[in-house]
């Protein structure tokens, strides 16, 4: 029973780490990001640095130097 508990705990820790890593994204100085939730835009991030999002949200990056509008 102890061995099964250890295996389940290890899987839970790995899953928690994977979810934690999927909640952060970085924006470079020359980029801006569009946060999408199920294909709909949620937020525009123009500041460089580390930002957070929900695990089911996606991020599209655009080069800020090419955008004029």
């Amino acid at each position: 029973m102890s061995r099964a508990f250890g295996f389940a705990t290890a899987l839970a820790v790995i899953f928690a780490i994977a979810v934690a890593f999927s909640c952060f994204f970085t924006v470079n100085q020359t980029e801006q990001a569009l946060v999408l939730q199920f294909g709909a835009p949620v937020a525009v991030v123009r500041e460089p640095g580390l930002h957070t999002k929900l695990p089911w949200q996606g991020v599209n990056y655009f080069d800020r130097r090419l955008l004029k509008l």
Side-chain angles (χ1 to χ4, degrees):
M1 189 88 116
S2 169
R3 190 174 221 176
F5 180 72
F7 182 71
T9 304
L11 282 178
V13 168
I14 290 171
F15 179 74
I17 290 172
V19 168
F21 273 115
S22 69
C23 290
F24 296 103
F25 67 98
T26 58
V27 178
N28 194 1
Q29 289 179 339
T30 61
E31 295 176 332
Q32 60 185 4
L34 180 65
V35 180
L36 301 172
Q37 182 170 339
F38 306 117
V42 176
V44 176
V45 180
R46 291 189 174 103
E47 304 86 27
L50 183 66
H51 300 278
T52 59
K53 66 176 185 67
L54 298 174
W56 55 82
Q57 292 177 334
V59 179
N60 287 345
Y61 297 98
F62 298 99
D63 193 357
R64 181 185 287 186
R65 297 171 294 183
L66 299 177
L67 298 174
K68 298 291 181 186
L69 297 177

